[in-house]
Amino acid sequence: MKKLMNKFFKNYKKGNTLSETLIALAIVGVVFTISMGTIVADHNKNQTVIRLKRIYSIVSQSFERSTAQNGTIANWDLFDGRTEHGSYAFFEQYLKPFLTLSRDCKNSTEGSCAYTFKELDATEKELNSTWTRFFLNDGTFIALQSYSDENYKVIYFYIDTNGKKRLNVVARDIFLFEYWIENAEHPEYVGKLLPFGHEYTRAELISASNPNNCNNTKNGNYCGALIIKDNWQIISGYPWAQARYVVQ
């Protein structure tokens, strides 16, 4: 055993010193940590896009099925979503029959139906009772609000791709969409589920010129539009790392 140990140390001295070995191990550890961080981030991005794309399809199909049963959307009643029960009246009549829910919160802001989140710039926001909210059977949380005036009729959707699990941050797991019932100025939008900000170019979406832009100094409501404009990908220019705030 003694001869074996002496041979080991003799060979070790011919190679790297202990300090050199420790430095090499430290460098390997740093590279490994960085690589793992990148791998985890890429995985999370891909999963977010996959979930968002699937939910987008589910909501779009619910409108298609509703149209088949209730007729053209031009004849749908759009209840005033600025009242406490207006949005729910729309949801109950036109969408609820075509979705599989685990919970219908109606307009409740109590208990698990309460919903507080953070925008990309870390501004805290809470949905009030004019927002109808519900959970799909896979845990996805969706809140909608109908709005109309003499020029247009639209439904706004907040979609939380992983429900009330963390992070609850716009641009990371929360995205804003709109469905146009009527739009005299842009009839090409009617009957489509569109990401909020879809009408802007990519450069405009990531700039700091609009409070809704997909920029870490703004609220991030246009980030869903950026993902779709980038062919359902989260790529360079997307403020993924900045969207890290957690609602407790």
Side-chain angles (χ1 to χ4, degrees), residues 20-50:
E20 289 173 333
T21 301
L22 292 175
I23 292 172
L25 289 174
I27 293 172
V28 170
V30 170
V31 172
F32 177 79
T33 300
I34 294 173
S35 298
M36 284 303 297
T38 300
I39 292 171
V40 170
D42 287 343
H43 172 76
N44 290 337
K45 291 176 184 178
N46 290 336
Q47 289 302 304
T48 295
V49 172
I50 289 170

Side-chain angles (χ1 to χ4, degrees), residues 116-119 122 124 164-169 172 242-248:
T116 301
F117 60 96
K118 287 191 176 181
E119 296 176 328
E124 190 167 294
K164 296 193 73 174
K165 297 177 183 178
R166 296 180 176 181
L167 293 168
N168 294 335
V169 176
R172 280 295 291 267
Q242 286 76 20
R244 61 187 181 275
Y245 308 98
V246 178
V247 175
Q248 301 297 332

Side-chain angles (χ1 to χ4, degrees), residues 5 71 93 98 115 134 136 153 163 204 208 218 220 229 237-238:
M5 293 298 292
Q93 180 169 340
F98 309 102
Y115 194 74
F134 54 91
L136 299 180
K153 299 177 182 178
E204 290 171 331
K218 305 302 177 182
K229 195 169 289 290
Y238 192 96

Side-chain angles (χ1 to χ4, degrees), residues 6 11 20 32 51 54 57-58 66 96 111 115 151 178 229-230 234 236 243:
N6 287 337
N11 290 334
E20 289 173 333
F32 177 79
R51 288 193 295 265
R54 179 176 52 80
S57 177
I58 289 172
S66 184
K96 184 177 179 180
Y115 194 74
N151 296 315
E178 57 191 24
K229 195 169 289 290
D230 287 333
I234 294 176
S236 178

